[in-house]
Amino acid sequence: MDKVMATAQEALADVTDGRSFAVGGFGLSGVPEVLIGALYESGASDLAVVSNNCGVDGRGLGILLAAGRIARVTGSYIGENKEFARQYLAGELEVELTPQGTLAERLRAGGAGIPAFYTTAGVGTQVADGGLPWRYAADGSVAVASPPKELRTFDGVDHILEHAVTTDYALVRAARGDRHGNLVFRRAARNFNPLAAMAGRVTVAEVEELVEPGVLGPDEIHLPGVFVQRVVALTPEQAADKGIEKRTVRER
């Protein structure tokens, strides 16, 4: 099946308000910025986003965030995005903070058809006991808090139950991909992109280099095309436009 779409806008033409998205990327590495731009242009709002982080001010998901298009974020890191922190503390945004490894496994489990799993991560903290602020009220009080999680002991060790994540769409970026949707990721871009792709009911991949079927050997492929429904080939200019989250320069 040829899954290549003419444009990113065409690939997201059926998106409506209130949809949920799993979005790949780690910091600014492997962020599907062209697809995020097309989602911004679509005007869709009240979106729920699952991503390791929410971009930075002015790049990645930070563009949608600044426009007030995102209503809820499930992630593991607020970090470098000042607008993200402002909206969260002002009660404008609901945020479910999740341990990073747990978030990765929740996405993977969703793609594998596993509804929930037990983990030791978060045992003895508010992650397990509940009470983490998901949304603040305008006066600074907690309007919505996380619920307590089911606790179970295995071999004398306490574990908490975490539920898998599935979303309406997934947006990912790959270094190489073919027309069947088989994808290859480069270095840190492989951290969350394959997992996000697995969790989406409709997964859209932007690829820096589009190759014909059969070019990618079976041992090269990081994510098989069964998880990908739509492919968008980037122009050389789009593929080269990569942000740097923190630029450091050593002394000569």
Side-chain angles (χ1 to χ4, degrees), residues 127-146:
V127 172
D129 302 335
L132 280 173
W134 278 2
R135 180 184 288 276
Y136 286 100
D139 62 2
S141 62
V142 178
V144 181
S146 65

Side-chain angles (χ1 to χ4, degrees), residues 65-200:
L65 193 71
R69 304 280 186 80
I70 299 177
R72 191 178 197 277
V73 175
T74 301
S76 65
Y77 182 63
I78 293 178
E80 306 303 318
N81 194 322
K82 294 180 181 178
E83 178 61 14
F84 188 178
R86 187 201 68 77
Q87 289 189 23
Y88 174 46
L89 295 174
E92 300 171 10
L93 181 69
E94 186 169 301
V95 178
E96 180 185 356
L97 284 173
T98 304
Q100 193 168 80
T102 300
L103 178 63
E105 181 61 12
R106 290 179 69 189
L107 290 164
R108 191 203 69 83
I114 299 169
F117 58 92
Y118 285 96
T119 177
T120 58
V123 171
T125 72
Q126 283 184 303
V127 172
D129 302 335
L132 280 173
W134 278 2
R135 180 184 288 276
Y136 286 100
D139 62 2
S141 62
V142 178
V144 181
S146 65
K149 294 180 178 177
E150 180 184 325
L151 184 70
R152 187 169 174 182
T153 302
F154 296 92
D155 298 325
V157 180
D158 289 340
H159 294 68
I160 57 175
L161 183 69
E162 292 282 0
H163 290 267
V165 168
T166 56
T167 56
D168 297 319
Y169 294 86
L171 307 181
V172 300
R173 179 167 180 148
R176 304 179 80 197
D178 64 22
R179 293 180 176 275
H180 294 171
N182 298 303
L183 303 179
V184 177
F185 304 94
R186 188 169 185 269
R187 296 183 179 176
R190 191 176 173 184
N191 283 0
F192 272 92
N193 270 302
L195 305 172
M198 292 174 68

